[in-house]
Amino acid sequence: MRNNLGLKIIALLMALFIWLQMSLVTQHESRTGLNLKLVNPTGADSLRQPPSHINCTVEGRGLDILRLKLAKAHIQMEAADFWAGNALAYQVVNMPENLNVKVLG
């Protein structure tokens, strides 16, 4: 085990770097949590506490998905639609323009 230990560590680090590079460049579909902001709440909607994050399925390159998680993007929904369970009526706000990511729902 002690023979060429430095070479083995360098090989392991290179393998890790190549794996990381490949996973950041290829297309992925994953779930990520984005902040949720409800607009136009009514009196009944203000009594319920909405979650601060909502899980979304996103599709894009691994690096773009990582940059989306670090960006200040959030999901904006009408309060009535959220409490009614209408998951298709949402809008992604403050997504950086140079990201090639689709928020699928």
Side-chain angles (χ1 to χ4, degrees), residues 3-5 12 29-31 33 35 39 49 51 54 62 65 72 74-76 78-79 81 89 93 96 98 100:
N3 294 340
N4 298 327
L5 184 61
L12 180 65
E29 182 175 312
S30 66
R31 296 189 58 81
N35 290 335
V39 293
Q49 185 69 0
I54 190 166
I65 293 173
K72 296 186 189 283
H74 63 273
I75 300 291
Q76 182 174 323
E78 293 282 332
D81 288 336
V93 180
N98 57 355
N100 189 13

Side-chain angles (χ1 to χ4, degrees), residues 67-88:
R67 289 175 55 204
L68 176 67
K69 289 181 184 180
L70 298 175
K72 296 186 189 283
H74 63 273
I75 300 291
Q76 182 174 323
M77 290 182 73
E78 293 282 332
D81 288 336
F82 177 76
W83 295 117
N86 186 4
L88 299 177

Side-chain angles (χ1 to χ4, degrees), residues 26-103:
T26 58
Q27 292 281 10
H28 294 282
E29 182 175 312
S30 66
R31 296 189 58 81
T32 184
L34 294 175
N35 290 335
L36 174 67
K37 293 191 180 178
L38 298 180
V39 293
N40 300 328
T42 61
D45 294 333
S46 64
L47 297 176
R48 295 182 272 192
Q49 185 69 0
S52 61
H53 288 80
I54 190 166
N55 286 328
C56 299
T57 304
V58 294
E59 180 181 30
R61 290 185 326 149
L63 183 61
D64 288 339
I65 293 173
L66 183 63
R67 289 175 55 204
L68 176 67
K69 289 181 184 180
L70 298 175
K72 296 186 189 283
H74 63 273
I75 300 291
Q76 182 174 323
M77 290 182 73
E78 293 282 332
D81 288 336
F82 177 76
W83 295 117
N86 186 4
L88 299 177
Y90 65 90
Q91 182 179 12
V92 181
V93 180
N94 291 338
M95 185 182 317
E97 296 174 4
N98 57 355
L99 292 183
N100 189 13
V101 176
K102 292 183 209 171
V103 178

